[in-house]
Amino acid sequence: MNAFLKGLPGETKVQAHQWFFMAASMYALGMVPLAMLARHGYGPVALATPTGHAYEMLFGFALALIAGYLLGPMPARRLAGFLSVWLLARITGLIAPLEWLTVWVNAVFVGLLAWHMLPRLWVAKKWRNRLLAPLLGLICAMTVLIALMGHLDYHWLARAFLDESVLLFALLMLFMGGRMLAPAVAGEFYRQGKELEARVQPHIEAALIVTVVAAFALAPLTAYVAGLLLCTSGVLAGVRLLRWQLWHCLARPDLLCLGVGYGWLALGLLLLGWVKLNGGVHFSTAVHALTVGALGTLAANVIVRVTLLQVRQYPSRIKPIVMLTACMSAAAILRIGADLSAHRELLLMLAALAWSGTFLQVLIIQLDCRAYVPSRHKLSRDSVD
């Protein structure tokens, strides 16, 4: 195990995002259409249920994004091991979702992930930064716990844990999205000869952490209080977004598109809080504002942004970044609208096409990221955010 974690001396190192982002994009491309087919008896049974589909969205797709973003450079052999275990967990989850093998393989993957990431994240000095370690640890624990509850036939409990796990991913997006947007917007202000006073906004960030964590902890006891806290966190996220003044960054579509993702995050928290205040009606509808609108938009933009920066290209010069953001927002609107419309199946199909179309664009950019960007727009040393 130690040899696996450390790698062999002199072995070539690879950035984790180069493999995990590609895997996540391919999985996202096929997952939603497969779920649509499964609902009509033509796809994997595991994706035919809302629980199975949601589990793979959060603990399959989103965990691959987390691994790609946070694992960093590592020996190719070790990275191949990580990716192989993730892929095996996805295959067993689709073929035998309630078997011990699926629980065990998921446990191995998140165990390796936690072992590699958490010690590095725990050394942060500020408590807001250090919170990332227990948050990721809890997400890893939930991955195993939900799979175990499903195997033991406690399906209602697995569903309850799954529903509340959305808040953990929302908090992670609030934290990571803010840490990505704030310095990038500040850099754009600096290039314009201006100064952005509201950057990370530590007081608002701390309030977001407290309200979302409290909503997660109190949800089993009092949905009403949890709803109030989520509405508060949605308003706080919206205020934070407004204070970044993205209307001064019209020449930076990459920043505007990240802002759209963060806006979906604020809206999703508000909707989820409103649903909890009103007895949980349309819970799934509100959740899709977070999983499709926020997670889908931020994931697509982060993958493209990181991929282009890796080859020293300037993300703001790539026109499809606006198209894929619009496409993902359309997917979210269609998915939310499907639950409120008499034409549900048609809107679900259109939402699935928009989701898959977005990640097809993302995958194409990864496969040939230079095809869209003229060489004259290569990054200079002082143009990186």
Side-chain angles (χ1 to χ4, degrees):
M1 179 62 73
N2 287 335
F4 173 75
L5 289 172
K6 293 180 181 179
L8 298 177
E11 187 176 354
T12 302
K13 288 192 174 183
V14 180
Q15 291 288 343
H17 70 79
Q18 292 178 279
W19 292 7
F20 267 105
F21 281 1
M22 187 78 70
S25 299
M26 289 189 287
Y27 193 60
L29 176 62
M31 180 179 61
V32 174
L34 278 176
M36 287 289 295
L37 290 172
R39 290 178 61 248
H40 295 89
Y42 300 104
V45 177
L47 295 180
T49 64
T51 300
H53 170 64
Y55 184 86
E56 287 302 315
M57 169 73 84
L58 294 176
F59 299 103
F61 168 65
L63 266 187
L65 294 172
I66 292 171
Y69 194 78
L70 293 177
L71 282 177
M74 62 172 54
R77 189 171 303 182
R78 190 198 327 166
L79 182 57
F82 271 83
L83 187 60
S84 297
V85 177
W86 175 84
L87 182 59
L88 183 59
R90 307 285 62 79
I91 292 172
T92 57
L94 294 179
I95 297 175
L98 303 179
E99 299 299 326
W100 270 115
L101 178 61
T102 301
V103 178
W104 182 82
V105 177
N106 275 289
V108 171
F109 176 68
V110 296
L112 291 171
L113 203 60
W115 192 351
H116 188 86
M117 290 192 309
L118 300 192
R120 293 188 290 113
L121 297 173
W122 188 249
V123 299
K125 295 181 180 179
K126 296 180 179 179
W127 72 269
R128 290 179 292 108
N129 298 336
R130 189 175 293 180
L131 180 76
L132 194 57
L135 174 59
L136 289 170
L138 187 55
I139 288 173
C140 290
M142 280 291 190
T143 306
V144 181
L145 183 61
I146 294 169
L148 182 60
M149 291 300 99
H151 172 73
L152 298 176
D153 290 332
Y154 295 117
H155 298 293
W156 64 272
L157 193 55
R159 183 67 201 189
F161 283 137
L162 188 57
D163 287 346
E164 298 311 318
S165 294
V166 174
L167 298 182
L168 301 178
F169 287 94
L171 181 55
L172 184 63
M173 287 187 283
L174 286 168
F175 185 89
M176 300 300 294
R179 295 311 174 91
M180 179 175 290
L181 259 171
V185 175
E188 178 60 20
F189 267 62
Y190 178 78
R191 279 188 282 272
Q192 296 178 18
K194 303 174 183 177
E195 182 178 356
L196 178 67
E197 295 182 1
R199 297 193 180 191
V200 173
Q201 305 173 52
H203 296 299
I204 292 182
E205 184 178 71
L208 283 168
I209 292 170
V210 171
T211 52
V212 175
V213 169
F216 175 80
L218 293 174
L221 304 176
T222 167
Y224 188 83
V225 175
L228 287 175
L229 290 167
L230 288 175
C231 287
T232 303
S233 65
V235 171
L236 288 170
V239 170
R240 192 186 193 195
L241 177 60
L242 287 173
R243 295 188 72 203
W244 283 322
Q245 304 176 51
L246 288 174
W247 53 87
H248 291 300
C249 302
L250 298 181
R252 293 292 303 274
D254 56 321
L255 300 185
L256 296 176
C257 291
L258 283 173
V260 170
Y262 204 89
W264 272 110
L265 188 52
L267 177 62
L269 289 169
L270 276 170
L271 290 177
L272 197 57
W274 178 258
V275 164
K276 285 181 176 289
L277 288 174
N278 289 275
V281 180
H282 294 304
F283 178 85
S284 175
T285 307
V287 163
H288 281 93
L290 290 170
T291 54
V292 181
L295 178 59
T297 302
L298 289 173
N301 276 275
V302 168
I303 290 173
V304 170
R305 183 178 182 83
V306 172
T307 299
L308 290 174
L309 290 176
Q310 179 67 27
V311 296
R312 301 194 63 76
Q313 300 284 359
Y314 203 22
S316 69
R317 298 295 193 267
I318 185 165
K319 294 180 180 179
I321 204 165
V322 176
M323 186 183 301
L324 64 88
T325 299
C327 198
M328 185 57 73
S329 289
I333 292 169
L334 288 166
R335 179 58 189 86
I336 292 169
D339 291 341
L340 309 174
S341 170
H343 305 286
R344 188 172 190 272
E345 290 301 316
L346 174 62
L347 293 182
L348 285 176
M349 181 185 69
L350 292 175
L353 288 174
W355 168 278
S356 294
T358 300
F359 279 102
L360 178 59
Q361 286 181 284
V362 172
L363 186 60
I364 290 171
I365 291 170
Q366 289 177 93
L367 291 173
D368 191 8
C369 61
R370 294 178 185 271
Y372 298 100
V373 188
S375 59
R376 66 177 178 274
H377 293 310
K378 286 185 178 180
L379 281 168
S380 63
R381 183 178 295 274
D382 60 354
S383 65
V384 180
D385 294 322

